[in-house]
């Protein structure tokens, strides 16, 4: 911007419409009360907004994400009859 305007313009970088999220993206329930309140396993990650943001950014950047590729697998059946 400054190169095109010979230094007459200067950019103003301001974070706008941002707020912090009160959730911990790496939260794991440890006590019995936390397990009863928040649940266990994959259901916990589905409701954690901070974790969803972290996973989306990691996918976009090509970084590894902790998720199951096959969630409800069944054995594949061969339909062809072999003689």
């Amino acid at each position: 911007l400054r190169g095109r305007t010979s230094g007459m313009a200067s950019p103003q970088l301001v974070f706008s419409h941002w707020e912090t999220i009160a959730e911990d993206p790496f939260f794991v329930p440890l006590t019995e009360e936390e397990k009863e309140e928040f649940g266990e396993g994959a259901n916990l990650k589905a409701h954690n907004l901070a974790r969803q943001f972290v996973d989306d950014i990691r996918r976009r950047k090509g970084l590894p994400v902790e998720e199951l590729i096959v969630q409800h697998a069944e054995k594949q059946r061969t339909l062809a009859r072999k003689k």
Side-chain angles (χ1 to χ4, degrees), residues 22-41:
E23 297 176 1
D24 181 16
F26 304 107
F27 173 73
V28 176
L30 298 176
T31 63
E32 290 297 324
E33 292 100 17
E34 290 176 347
K35 288 180 183 178
E36 287 178 9
E37 183 177 350
F38 299 110
E40 295 185 49

Side-chain angles (χ1 to χ4, degrees), residues 6-74:
S6 301
M8 296 303 289
S10 62
Q12 295 179 356
L13 303 175
V14 178
F15 284 109
S16 177
H17 300 87
W18 289 79
E19 62 184 64
T20 58
I21 299 174
E23 297 176 1
D24 181 16
F26 304 107
F27 173 73
V28 176
L30 298 176
T31 63
E32 290 297 324
E33 292 100 17
E34 290 176 347
K35 288 180 183 178
E36 287 178 9
E37 183 177 350
F38 299 110
E40 295 185 49
N43 189 23
L44 178 65
K45 291 181 181 179
H47 297 294
N48 191 339
L49 184 63
R51 185 63 184 190
Q52 288 176 356
F53 285 146
V54 169
D55 288 344
D56 290 342
I57 292 169
R58 285 183 176 175
R59 270 190 220 96
R60 188 176 69 229
K61 292 186 174 194
L63 299 172
V65 178
E66 296 177 11
E67 67 180 355
L68 297 175
I69 296 173
V70 178
Q71 294 178 354
H72 302 288
E74 294 180 4

